[in-house]
Amino acid sequence: MHPYQIAEPYGTAVVDLLRATRQFAAENDQFQINVQLFLTGYSEGGYVAMATHKLIEEKYADEFTVTASAPMAGPHDMTYTSNRITSRETYSQPGYISFTYMSYNTIEKLNRPANDFFQNPYAERIPKLMDGSKTIGEANDKLTTNMKSLFTENFIAEFLGDGEQELKNAFAKNSLVDWSPNAPIMLVHGENDITVGYNNSVIARDK
């Protein structure tokens, strides 16, 4: 299962790629690298760039030093993002929601059936839609953009109320806004982004 919007596996994967790049360059004289390390990415990649910057400074500073990063349009605050989506009447990318559920359910070990969150027929469809054989467009076509039809009424009430603490804790754990970077960060976002809320970058900047 792809660790969609889960910080540490993303950052660890990039660290492994950086190690491999360094080793490859050392074994091939025609490739010259220096000590500068810049990180960037867009949307999901913006989240990955932020997650990697944070992880390197916290756990791999003995191997790498980030020169600067530019995370663009990332869902940096998963608490804000999840609240924003469940509060909306419609969301144009329901495939991303189901992908997040599958990822968190597996990697964060929530181990809950889809119908704890989603109404049928969508709850029955989601595991097969997220098995790697479908594009996001194909997944969206089999779901609904109406959030009150996608989620169960009980889940929305619990999530926007005092319930669903385990899930909320998982989102808080994977939010990338409560830390103090050493290297400079330039946040980039479009105010009219309908998929990843612009306030993700405002919150990250302010915190």
Side-chain angles (χ1 to χ4, degrees):
M1 175 57 61
H2 177 67
Y4 188 61
Q5 303 310 127
I6 297 182
E8 187 151 347
Y10 275 155
T12 302
V14 177
V15 167
D16 285 343
L17 285 166
L18 291 170
R19 289 169 172 160
T21 302
R22 182 180 281 176
Q23 180 178 335
F24 182 81
E27 294 171 356
N28 294 270
D29 292 340
Q30 68 268 37
F31 296 100
Q32 300 295 318
I33 60 173
N34 60 33
V35 297
Q36 290 184 308
L37 174 58
F38 296 96
L39 302 167
T40 191
Y42 184 81
S43 192
E44 180 186 5
Y47 180 90
V48 175
M50 183 81 85
T52 304
H53 188 153
K54 181 174 184 288
L55 186 70
I56 286 175
E57 291 193 348
E58 290 178 350
K59 293 189 175 182
Y60 298 100
D62 59 332
E63 286 188 72
F64 300 101
T65 301
V66 176
T67 305
S69 68
M72 299 185 286
H76 310 302
D77 189 339
M78 288 300 294
T79 297
Y80 162 76
T81 296
S82 58
N83 279 309
R84 170 179 175 265
I85 290 173
T86 49
S87 300
R88 292 170 62 100
E89 289 191 11
T90 62
Y91 183 67
S92 62
Q93 298 287 342
Y96 292 154
I97 298 170
S98 52
F99 200 15
T100 302
Y101 155 72
M102 292 292 289
S103 176
Y104 276 68
N105 207 43
T106 302
I107 294 167
E108 293 292 354
K109 296 180 170 52
L110 301 179
N111 299 319
R112 294 172 63 182
N115 60 17
D116 272 8
F117 307 94
F118 305 103
Q119 296 188 48
N120 284 323
Y122 310 112
E124 296 171 343
R125 295 175 183 172
I126 283 170
K128 291 183 180 178
L129 292 175
M130 296 294 122
D131 66 2
S133 66
K134 306 291 189 298
T135 66
I136 193 66
E138 290 171 324
N140 285 336
D141 288 344
K142 296 293 184 181
L143 299 170
T144 177
T145 59
N146 185 302
M147 296 298 95
K148 289 184 178 179
S149 297
L150 181 65
F151 293 115
T152 68
E153 183 178 353
N154 182 68
F155 170 71
I156 291 179
E158 289 290 308
F159 190 79
L160 296 179
D162 296 327
E164 292 292 342
Q165 288 302 317
E166 183 182 26
L167 180 58
K168 289 176 181 175
N169 289 340
F171 285 137
K173 170 186 168 186
N174 288 287
S175 293
L176 303 170
V177 292
D178 291 316
W179 64 293
S180 299
N182 296 319
I185 296 178
M186 181 175 69
L187 288 155
V188 181
H189 214 128
E191 290 180 342
N192 296 322
D193 192 332
I194 62 172
T195 303
V196 179
Y198 173 75
N199 274 346
N200 273 285
S201 291
V202 175
I203 293 166
R205 178 201 64 192
D206 291 347
K207 287 198 173 186

